[in-house]
Amino acid sequence: MRILLAEDDGRLAEPLQEFLAREQHAVCWMCDGRLALAELLENAYDLALLDWMLPGCDGLAIVEALRRGGRTTLVLMLTARDTEADVVAGLRAGADDYLVKPFRMAELAARIRSLERQI
C-alpha cells in the first residue's frame, strides 16, 4: 500500500515508518497538517494514517477536507484522543478506523490489512 503518515512526533513516526516499510508498504511521512493535506490532494495514496493533533491543520480537518472533496482515500486516525466523543467525531468526520495511542504495532498491521481488503 502507498501510505501517507501524518505525525508530528518523530519519536513515534520514525519507528512507525520503519515498521510499515518492513510490512512492505511505501510510506511518506509528513509532520505538518497543511503539508499532509496538500500532499493527499495532489497525489494518490491508498491510506492516510493521521494524528489528530498536528500543527498547521489537525487530522480531523484533513479527513473532513478529503471527504468534502470526494476523496475516497482510506483514513485511519492514530491519536491520543481517546474519549468516546473523540472516536465518534473521528468516524463521523469520515475516518475509516480509529486507533488510540499508545498502540501495538501488530494491531496496527492487522487494521491496515483489514482496510486493505476494501481497496
Side-chain angles (χ1 to χ4, degrees):
M1 286 185 93
R2 189 156 185 241
I3 298 175
L4 182 128
L5 170 62
E7 171 60 60
D8 62 329
D9 184 349
R11 294 169 301 171
L12 174 61
E14 290 176 10
L16 185 52
Q17 188 176 18
E18 291 170 9
F19 173 79
L20 293 169
R22 284 193 309 272
E23 291 284 311
Q24 307 301 312
H25 301 295
V27 182
C28 174
W29 170 31
M30 314 225 52
C31 58
D32 178 89
R34 270 189 283 253
L35 295 174
L37 177 57
E39 179 69 14
L40 286 165
L41 292 173
E42 185 74 23
N43 296 295
Y45 287 88
D46 301 305
L47 174 65
L49 300 176
L50 303 178
D51 184 13
W52 188 318
M53 297 176 280
L54 291 166
C57 178
D58 68 46
L60 194 66
I62 293 171
V63 72
E64 289 171 336
L66 290 173
R67 299 308 182 229
R68 274 194 314 273
R71 298 298 176 111
T72 58
T73 305
L74 295 169
V75 173
L76 195 163
M77 299 294 294
L78 291 178
T79 180
R81 300 209 35 179
D82 63 352
T83 68
E84 179 181 17
D86 291 331
V87 175
V88 169
L91 295 171
R92 281 190 177 158
D96 298 286
D97 200 355
Y98 196 104
L99 187 57
V100 175
K101 296 175 187 174
F103 54 87
R104 292 179 291 279
M105 293 292 191
E107 181 179 358
L108 174 62
R111 288 174 182 261
I112 290 172
R113 282 191 298 278
S114 176
L115 289 169
E116 197 170 22
R117 290 192 290 269
Q118 296 180 33
I119 298 176

